[in-house]
Amino acid sequence: MSDDTTLPAFDARRRRFALQSMALGSSVLFAGTAHAAGMEAAPAPNQNTGPVQQDGLSPRLTMHGLDTWHGTPAAGMRVDLFSIENGQPKLMQTITLAPSGRSEPPLLIDETYRVGTYELLLHVDDYFAERKTELPTPLFLSKIPLRFRITDASQRIHLPVLFGPWSYNYYRGS
């Protein structure tokens, strides 16, 4: 004793879409399973070595500032490089990032590239002020300190730094 007016109307387009979606999904799963079955297990990452070195580049320290607020390289940002000796920072140099947002030339290279503890200090307050970026005052971030170690002077270290007015992130690249 069913009344046809209470049942939802049959829509052939919805049914076709649902069937096609299921078929596509299962084919992707099937392909992935078949592909995985033919491959050996990936080896565990080696945590004792650094990233793969780029051919033709000598050991060096470089950085790349990326402004996530404007979506551009951090061209013109001032960066101070310190060595940390006996727990105290010692200014080594002050640079201005190139139009690409990179440290050009490298921060440390050849005889200056040594094992040790270092710190970069990014002047993001000045950087945003020079661009007349409208931000609340006082700023949340004014200077960004990045402390790191060079433990093997035969490896190249590149530090990409992504920053905005409220956050930053950096990591070891090569």
Side-chain angles (χ1 to χ4, degrees):
M1 193 152 136
S2 169
D3 184 359
D4 289 338
T5 60
T6 61
L7 295 175
F10 174 74
D11 186 346
R13 290 174 295 164
R14 284 179 144 182
R15 183 174 181 201
R16 189 177 320 113
F17 175 76
L19 291 172
Q20 288 173 341
S21 297
M22 289 181 356
L24 177 62
S26 64
S27 66
V28 169
L29 287 173
F30 178 73
T33 303
H35 180 67
M39 295 183 62
E40 295 178 21
N46 184 347
Q47 300 296 318
N48 297 322
T49 63
V52 175
Q53 298 296 303
Q54 295 180 354
D55 290 335
L57 293 177
S58 64
R60 63 189 65 202
L61 171 66
T62 55
M63 72 157 291
H64 188 185
L66 299 163
D67 173 355
T68 58
W69 181 253
H70 293 103
T72 62
M77 183 167 60
R78 187 174 116 202
V79 177
D80 298 326
L81 173 64
F82 297 88
S83 63
I84 307 300
E85 299 172 10
N86 299 318
Q88 298 300 312
K90 178 181 173 189
L91 181 64
M92 296 179 71
Q93 64 176 307
T94 296
I95 65 155
T96 300
L97 296 181
S100 65
R102 295 176 184 274
S103 55
E104 295 174 6
L107 294 163
L108 299 173
I109 192 168
D110 298 327
E111 69 278 349
T112 64
Y113 188 72
R114 292 187 283 254
V115 169
T117 302
Y118 298 89
E119 183 172 289
L120 292 174
L121 186 65
L122 285 64
H123 295 262
V124 295
D125 51 355
D126 296 339
Y127 171 83
F128 285 122
E130 288 171 9
R131 278 147 193 76
K132 297 179 179 34
T133 306
E134 292 185 35
L135 297 171
T137 53
L139 295 176
F140 181 68
L141 293 176
S142 60
K143 309 283 190 265
I144 298 175
L146 309 174
R147 191 166 285 193
F148 58 95
R149 290 188 180 105
I150 297 173
T151 58
D152 182 349
S154 70
Q155 295 183 356
R156 181 177 188 262
I157 296 177
H158 178 67
L159 296 174
V161 182
L162 292 82
F163 69 93
W166 294 278
S167 66
Y168 65 95
N169 184 18
Y170 72 106
Y171 58 94
R172 180 187 172 178
S174 62

